[in-house]
């Protein structure tokens, strides 16, 4: 029997009332304090620290003591989505924290966690556009600011674990979670993800400090069939070079402190049970030294779904041995049976000790022992949202909007009559995508949940659905009342257009639903459109949660195009000869043959959140120029997926003439819209490209400079994009790779010199021996307005030949 099993299960005699407890010495580093405290804990106290408490109602937490008699490691705050006031959230935090500390035997506080992709689930918290929308903004400076805001607002109620950023590289729009990612390019995701993690972890509120939990490690968007949680059948090089790159960048440059593994299996191993990924790769190769927390239900999935363990306890042991530290959201695998394995010596207690040490160290780092309770009277609560916070979400919404096409109809002049078509225009509900506070709250009004790990509700029987779909209708008054309760005064697009264009008659008709084949509204839309100077169509589905959404977590699709009801009306209206402007709202980009045929202009608006109406009308009227650029390549249909621009040489539309025809028999190989694409209301000229070899930390670097000029008649922002192409290499390399980017604002007639510093280590790749290598040879430098709109190019020669530490390589050009 292990000596540990002989320890008493009752609380230790040395408790928090002992001011001389050595782990109380704040001069010691967090890991040192954690080691001292760990030495005093019983088996039961240790097990408590690797489990999670999930209250189903924050007002009813009496079950805590029975479920967690020795305290708890972390507490879920998902159900704060239903809170009426901040005081309700604070009272919940204080009540559960008191119970956790009093039961632990050493007054060990719990970590409270909350999603943070688009803002906190808190009354009065600022809501931000979806991840894909912010990816379209290409603005790391703003992304860091957003991370600071979200973490500050969550700390105000005692939440220090922020589940963000999402560092998934997404190549598959069939996946319902496509909108959570920053995009398909690992450099773009790295730059934005590092900034967001830095923002979360840079601030403090008194003694409290936030830590970011990046998700979902690793490759979770490269799934079979575009189905959430299915196998990731990806080569190891793709996993490590592209999908792991943003995580490595965040570890190296942001000191990332938290990781959430993916649900998926990679190479036949569930990530949550993969010692190779969670220990060999993440901790040993990538240098991660923080806390690994499971996704909800992922540990028990090892038993019930992936079937690599014959019981929940063995699933828990597999996860612990792999490198998992905390099970969320229930202690199923990390429960009583696993405790008995440790207590009887059938499992090595050092595996448990490793996880508990990481949990305690995180709590010391966060300052929870010094400030465990949320303060209802604090300034942070009184000013949860500031004017600057609201300005940040408006800026993000504006910068996210991508002008895909425009025949000159935009910006709008002074039309006499505008006819607005589409259900999205009449309610601001459609501005809020998955993992926003609103979408999470309205999901509780739906009949069935789609969130992994949570109860799904009854069968589909009896649900009123949108005609031709499985999607639950959500036209009830309760949805609008919830929105106005959460965001009083938030305006719909229709309201914003009427307010901002008082001299224009603005008519509205529903036209069609978010999905399906219902054409009953077409006749009225056509009749009104015949009288219009401009028709404004809101297009797309509903990105959100549960059975009322057309995409979101667990809501995947085989069709990535507009629904039939919208496609048909676009073509019908196109025959009228009236200018048609489309505004697309969804979690995947618009892909529509009818839109390309018939619309005069298309704005990709994604899920722009609470400031969406103002931002869209800003672009429509020209009050603000469009500056968003696509963070993904847009496939023509699902049969073309995946279609990333950075595919390998000899692949996709670079497959080579000797291999086959340059197109499908029914479609081109190229995407509908290329990565990085986006139009402006002005014109930019690129000239005078120069490359200078310079010394850098790797011994060889390059300074790339060129002149950018605004040669149009309006001020504007250009997102300049630097790409590289390794002309010949020992391994098959991407046909093109983003190396750097920058937002540049210029007035008409103004020009500036744009300079990038490109390190040789950015060209490193995994060689035949899976070592990070810089290989000598020619590299093409390309500068342009998108991956397909290259304005300048030249070649350089890399002389370095070296194996390097992959953790220290450059991730993007500065």
């Amino acid at each position: 029997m292990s000596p540990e099993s002989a320890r008493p299960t009752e609380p230790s005699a040395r408790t928090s009332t002992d001011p001389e407890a050595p782990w109380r010495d704040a001069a010691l580093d967090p890991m040192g304090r954690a080691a001292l405290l760990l030495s005093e804990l019983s088996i039961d106290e240790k097990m408590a620290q690797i489990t999670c408490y999930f209250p189903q109602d924050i007002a009813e937490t009496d079950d805590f003591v029975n479920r967690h008699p020795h305290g708890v490691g972390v507490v879920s705050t998902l159900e704060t989505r239903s809170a009426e006031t901040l005081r309700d959230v604070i009272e919940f935090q204080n009540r559960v924290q008191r119970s956790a500390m009093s039961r632990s035997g050493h007054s060990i506080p719990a970590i409270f966690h909350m999603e943070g992709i688009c803002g906190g689930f808190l009354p009065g918290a600022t809501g931000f556009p979806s991840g894909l929308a912010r990816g379209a903004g290409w603005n790391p400076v703003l992304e860091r600011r957003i991370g600071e805001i979200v973490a500050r607002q969550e700390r105000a109620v005692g939440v220090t674990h922020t589940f963000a950023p999402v560092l998934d590289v997404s190549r598959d729009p069939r996946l319902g979670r496509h909108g959570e990612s920053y995009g398909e390019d690992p450099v773009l995701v790295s730059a934005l993800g590092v900034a967001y993690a830095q923002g979360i972890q840079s601030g403090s509120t008194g003694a409290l400090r936030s830590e970011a939990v990046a998700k979902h490690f690793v490759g979770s968007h490269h799934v079979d069939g575009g189905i959430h949680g299915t196998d990731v059948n990806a080569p190891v090089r793709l996993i490590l070079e592209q999908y792991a790159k943003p995580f490595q960048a965040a570890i190296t440059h942001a000191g990332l402190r938290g990781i959430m593994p993916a649900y998926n299996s990679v190479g036949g191993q569930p990530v949550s049970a993969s010692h190779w990924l969670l220990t060999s790769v993440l901790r040993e190769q990538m240098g991660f030294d923080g806390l690994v927390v499971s996704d909800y239900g992922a540990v028990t999935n090892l038993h019930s779904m992936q079937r690599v363990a014959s019981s929940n306890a063995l699933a828990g042991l597999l996860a612990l041995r792999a490198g998992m530290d905390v099970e969320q959201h229930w202690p199923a695998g990390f429960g009583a049976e696993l405790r008995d394995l440790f207590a009887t010596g059938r499992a090595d207690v050092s595996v448990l000790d490793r996880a508990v040490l990481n949990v305690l160290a995180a709590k010391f780092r966060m300052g929870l022992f010094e400030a465990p309770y949320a303060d209802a009277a604090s300034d942070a609560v009184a000013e949860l949202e500031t004017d600057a916070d609201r300005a940040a979400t408006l800026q993000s919404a504006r910068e996210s909007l991508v002008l895909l096409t425009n025949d000159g109809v935009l910006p709008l002049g002074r039309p006499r009559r505008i006819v607005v078509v589409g259900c999205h225009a009449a309610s601001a509900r459609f501005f809020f995508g998955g993992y926003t506070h609103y979408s999470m709250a309205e999901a509780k009004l739906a009949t069935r949940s789609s969130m992994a790990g949570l109860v799904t509700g009854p069968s589909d029987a009896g649900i009123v659905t949108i005609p031709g779909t499985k999607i639950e209708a959500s036209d009830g008054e309760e949805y609008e009342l919830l929105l106005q309760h959460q965001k009083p005064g938030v305006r719909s697009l229709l309201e914003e257009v009427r307010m901002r264009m008082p001299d224009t008659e603005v008519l509205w008709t529903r036209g069609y639903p978010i999905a399906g084949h219902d054409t009953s509204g077409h006749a009225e839309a056509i009749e009104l459109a015949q009288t219009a100077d401009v028709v404004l169509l809101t297009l797309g589905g509903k990105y959100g949660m549960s059975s009322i959404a057309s995409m979101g977590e667990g809501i995947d699709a085989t069709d990535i195009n507009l629904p039939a009801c919208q496609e048909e009306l676009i073509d019908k209206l196109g025959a009228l000869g009236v200018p048609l402007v489309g505004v697309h709202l969804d979690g995947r980009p618009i892909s529509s043959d009818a839109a390309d045929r018939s619309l005069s202009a298309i704005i990709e608006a994604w899920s722009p959140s609470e400031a969406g109406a103002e931002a869209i009308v800003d672009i429509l009227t020209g009050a603000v120029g469009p500056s968003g650029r696509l963070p993904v390549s847009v496939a023509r249909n699902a049969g073309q997926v995946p279609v990333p621009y950075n595919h390998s040489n000899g692949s996709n539309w670079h497959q080579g003439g000797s291999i086959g025809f340059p197109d499908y028999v029914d479609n081109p190989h190229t995407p509908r819209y290329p990565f990085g694409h986006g139009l402006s209301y002005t014109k930019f000229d690129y000239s005078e490209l120069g490359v200078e070899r310079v010394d850098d930390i790797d011994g060889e670097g390059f300074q790339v400079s060129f002149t950018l000029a605004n040669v149009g008649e309006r001020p504007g922002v250009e997102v300049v994009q630097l790409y590289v192409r390794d002309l010949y290499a020992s391994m098959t390399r991407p046909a093109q790779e983003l190396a750097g980017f920058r937002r540049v604002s210029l007035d008409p007639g103004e020009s500036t010199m744009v300079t990038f510093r490109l390190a040789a280590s950015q060209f490193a790749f995994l060689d035949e021996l899976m070592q990070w290598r810089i290989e000598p040879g020619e590299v093409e430098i390309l500068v342009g307005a998108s991956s397909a709109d290259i304005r300048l190019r030249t070649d350089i020669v890399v002389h370095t030949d070296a194996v390097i530490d992959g953790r220290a390589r450059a991730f993007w050009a500065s």
Side-chain angles (χ1 to χ4, degrees):
M1 180 181 293
S2 164
E4 181 63 33
S5 64
R7 294 182 65 90
T9 58
E10 66 274 4
S12 167
R14 186 187 294 275
T15 69
S16 62
T17 59
D18 182 358
E20 302 303 319
W23 49 267
R24 289 195 162 276
D25 185 356
L28 296 175
D29 67 274
M31 191 59 77
R33 295 177 73 181
L36 290 169
L37 178 54
L38 175 66
S39 69
E40 299 185 7
L41 302 187
S42 68
I43 285 284
D44 290 321
E45 292 165 343
K46 290 177 182 179
M47 288 297 301
Q49 292 304 306
I50 62 171
T51 62
C52 175
Y53 172 52
F54 179 80
Q56 295 183 316
D57 183 339
I58 64 169
E60 301 291 337
T61 57
D62 293 343
D63 61 342
F64 177 84
V65 172
N66 290 332
R67 288 167 53 189
H68 300 278
H70 301 282
V72 75
V74 303
V75 176
S76 168
T77 62
L78 174 63
E79 292 309 316
T80 61
R81 59 181 168 169
S82 301
E84 292 291 321
T85 68
L86 277 179
R87 180 170 293 278
D88 294 337
V89 181
I90 291 168
E91 289 176 354
F92 153 71
Q93 195 272 349
N94 289 343
R95 184 170 63 253
V96 174
Q97 190 72 287
R98 280 195 299 271
S99 294
M101 294 175 71
S102 67
R103 303 301 298 179
S104 74
H106 292 76
S107 281
I108 302 174
I111 298 170
F112 286 74
H113 69 237
M114 183 177 285
E115 297 291 347
I117 302 171
C118 301
F121 298 167
L122 299 169
T126 309
F128 292 95
S130 64
L132 205 56
R134 302 209 307 274
W138 296 60
N139 191 341
V141 174
L142 178 59
E143 199 62 13
R144 175 165 179 153
R145 173 71 181 129
I146 294 172
E148 291 170 353
I149 293 168
V150 173
R152 188 196 78 235
Q153 292 183 356
E154 292 188 352
R155 281 195 307 274
V157 295
V159 172
T160 54
H161 235 193
T162 296
F163 286 1
V166 172
L167 298 182
D168 297 323
V169 173
S170 185
R171 294 176 159 193
D172 195 336
R174 296 174 299 174
L175 185 67
R177 304 188 77 166
H178 190 59
E180 294 176 31
S181 166
Y182 288 124
E184 74 178 34
D185 182 84
V187 167
L188 179 62
V189 176
S190 294
L192 296 176
V194 165
Y196 202 72
Q198 288 173 333
I200 290 171
Q201 297 186 167
S202 64
S204 62
T205 304
L208 280 185
R209 292 174 292 277
S210 297
E211 295 194 353
V213 179
K215 52 187 191 175
H216 306 85
F217 187 80
V218 61
S220 71
H221 283 224
H222 190 109
V223 286
D224 283 353
I227 302 171
H228 180 234
T230 54
D231 278 1
V232 174
N233 291 310
V236 172
R237 277 189 179 79
L238 180 61
I239 291 287
L240 299 182
E241 286 187 351
Q242 296 205 32
Y243 295 152
K245 184 173 186 173
F247 293 93
Q248 181 66 81
I251 293 165
T252 299
H253 289 296
L256 180 68
R257 287 299 192 179
I259 288 284
M260 179 182 288
Y263 283 114
N264 317 75
S265 291
V266 174
Q269 277 191 312
V271 179
S272 295
S274 174
H275 186 275
W276 171 62
L277 282 172
L278 297 187
T279 297
S280 298
V281 172
L282 180 62
R283 293 195 183 274
E284 295 172 2
Q285 295 177 30
M286 298 175 69
F288 177 73
D289 63 357
L291 197 62
V292 177
V293 299
S294 83
D295 210 334
Y296 282 17
V299 172
T300 191
N301 279 1
L302 303 176
H303 165 59
S304 62
M305 303 299 294
Q306 287 138 336
R307 305 180 72 84
V308 296
S310 59
S311 68
N312 278 330
L314 291 178
L317 187 58
L318 275 178
L320 271 180
R321 285 173 173 168
M324 190 76 74
D325 295 319
V326 176
E327 180 185 16
Q328 298 172 155
H329 57 302
W330 304 100
F334 290 10
E337 291 181 49
L338 181 59
R339 179 258 181 216
D340 290 343
L341 293 180
F342 290 123
T344 58
R346 288 177 288 167
D348 185 355
V349 78
S350 67
V351 176
L352 172 62
D353 287 348
R354 177 205 56 76
V356 177
L357 187 68
N358 287 334
V359 174
L360 295 176
K363 293 182 177 185
F364 282 118
R365 286 195 305 266
M366 294 174 182
L368 288 170
F369 283 87
E370 288 70 41
Y373 299 111
D375 181 1
S378 71
D379 291 340
V381 172
E383 293 188 281
L384 186 72
E385 183 183 45
T386 68
D387 289 343
D389 300 341
R390 287 185 284 271
T393 194
L394 174 59
Q395 179 185 349
S396 182
R398 285 170 171 163
E399 293 180 357
S400 74
L401 302 181
V402 183
L403 182 61
L404 293 174
T405 64
N406 185 22
D407 67 2
V409 67
L410 295 182
L412 295 173
R414 297 184 179 214
R416 178 184 56 86
R417 173 180 289 175
I418 293 177
V419 170
V420 182
V421 179
C423 58
H424 308 81
S427 175
R429 289 177 54 213
F430 297 99
F431 295 151
F432 297 87
Y435 278 89
T436 57
H437 185 197
Y438 176 74
S439 71
M440 282 290 184
E442 75 165 356
K444 296 190 72 173
L445 300 175
T447 303
R448 299 188 68 188
S449 169
S450 63
M451 284 190 68
L454 299 183
V455 177
T456 61
S459 69
D460 292 336
I463 296 179
V464 177
T465 59
I466 296 171
T469 78
K470 296 181 178 180
I471 302 166
E472 182 179 357
S474 58
D475 298 329
E477 183 184 21
E478 65 271 22
Y479 293 95
E480 200 66 32
L481 290 174
L482 174 64
L483 176 65
Q484 293 304 323
H485 174 74
Q486 274 200 5
K487 296 292 177 184
V490 65
R491 290 188 293 273
S492 69
L493 181 58
L494 181 63
E495 291 168 331
E496 187 78 20
V497 170
R498 285 173 170 163
M499 184 186 76
R500 299 273 295 277
M501 304 181 74
D503 297 329
T504 297
E505 182 183 15
V506 181
L507 306 177
W508 174 79
T509 181
R510 185 170 182 269
Y512 37 64
I514 61 170
H517 50 59
D518 180 5
T519 61
S520 60
H522 286 195
E524 181 178 308
I526 294 169
E527 182 180 358
L528 286 177
Q530 290 172 333
T531 69
D533 298 310
V534 176
V535 177
L536 179 64
L537 299 99
T538 55
L539 304 164
K542 183 177 187 337
Y543 177 32
M545 309 296 294
S546 301
S547 51
I548 57 176
S550 61
M551 74 174 295
E553 181 172 341
I555 309 169
D556 312 311
T558 61
D559 188 349
I560 63 169
N561 303 108
L562 292 181
C565 59
Q566 297 179 21
E567 284 278 296
E568 290 179 25
L569 184 55
I570 290 172
D571 275 333
K572 291 174 183 176
L573 293 175
L576 301 178
V578 178
L580 308 177
V581 176
V583 176
H584 183 252
L585 295 156
D586 215 331
R588 60 173 64 93
I590 186 173
S591 184
S592 164
D593 292 339
D596 285 349
R597 279 192 300 265
S598 300
L599 297 188
S600 300
I602 303 172
I603 295 174
E604 178 55 71
W606 317 101
S607 301
S609 195
E610 60 193 62
E614 183 175 355
I616 293 169
V617 176
D618 282 342
I619 301 300
L620 288 172
T621 61
V624 174
S627 64
R629 301 294 183 263
L630 285 175
V632 291
S633 305
V634 179
R636 298 173 188 273
N637 53 56
Q640 202 180 20
V641 172
V643 65
Y645 86 96
N646 55 354
H647 53 261
S648 299
N649 282 318
S651 178
N652 218 300
W653 64 91
H654 289 89
Q655 89 280 18
S658 65
I659 296 176
F661 291 111
D663 291 312
Y664 295 107
V665 295
D666 54 357
N667 261 305
H669 284 162
T670 52
R672 187 182 296 275
Y673 307 116
F675 175 83
H677 170 70
L679 303 179
S680 175
Y681 289 155
T682 189
K683 296 180 180 179
F684 295 95
D685 180 71
Y686 294 67
S687 64
E688 301 174 338
L689 176 63
V691 178
E692 178 184 355
R693 192 180 304 278
V694 294
D695 292 333
D696 67 9
I697 194 169
D698 300 316
E700 183 178 26
F702 303 88
Q703 183 170 287
V704 180
S705 301
F706 61 93
T707 298
L708 180 72
N710 182 345
V711 296
E713 298 178 354
R714 289 174 172 267
V717 174
E718 178 74 320
V719 179
V720 296
Q721 299 161 43
L722 173 67
Y723 293 91
V724 297
R725 180 184 177 212
D726 199 337
L727 293 180
Y728 295 94
S730 58
M731 308 300 295
T732 305
R733 303 298 300 139
Q736 190 177 343
E737 294 181 276
L738 182 69
F741 58 90
R742 193 161 298 146
R743 293 177 60 88
V744 182
S745 178
L746 294 174
D747 289 327
E750 186 181 7
S751 64
T752 189
M753 179 74 74
V754 180
T755 301
F756 290 99
R757 188 72 170 257
L758 187 61
S761 64
Q762 243 188 286
F763 305 127
F765 57 86
L766 290 169
D767 65 13
E768 189 174 6
L769 300 177
M770 298 302 288
Q771 304 172 110
W772 287 102
R773 178 177 292 279
I774 306 172
E775 195 173 76
E778 287 185 275
V779 175
E780 188 174 19
I781 303 294
L782 308 104
V783 175
S786 81
S787 61
D789 185 7
I790 300 302
R791 308 290 183 87
L792 304 169
R793 64 180 71 215
T794 190
D795 291 348
I796 61 172
V797 177
V798 176
H799 297 287
T800 303
D801 185 0
V803 173
I804 66 169
D805 180 357
R807 292 175 289 186
R809 72 191 192 275
F811 298 97
W812 61 84
S814 59

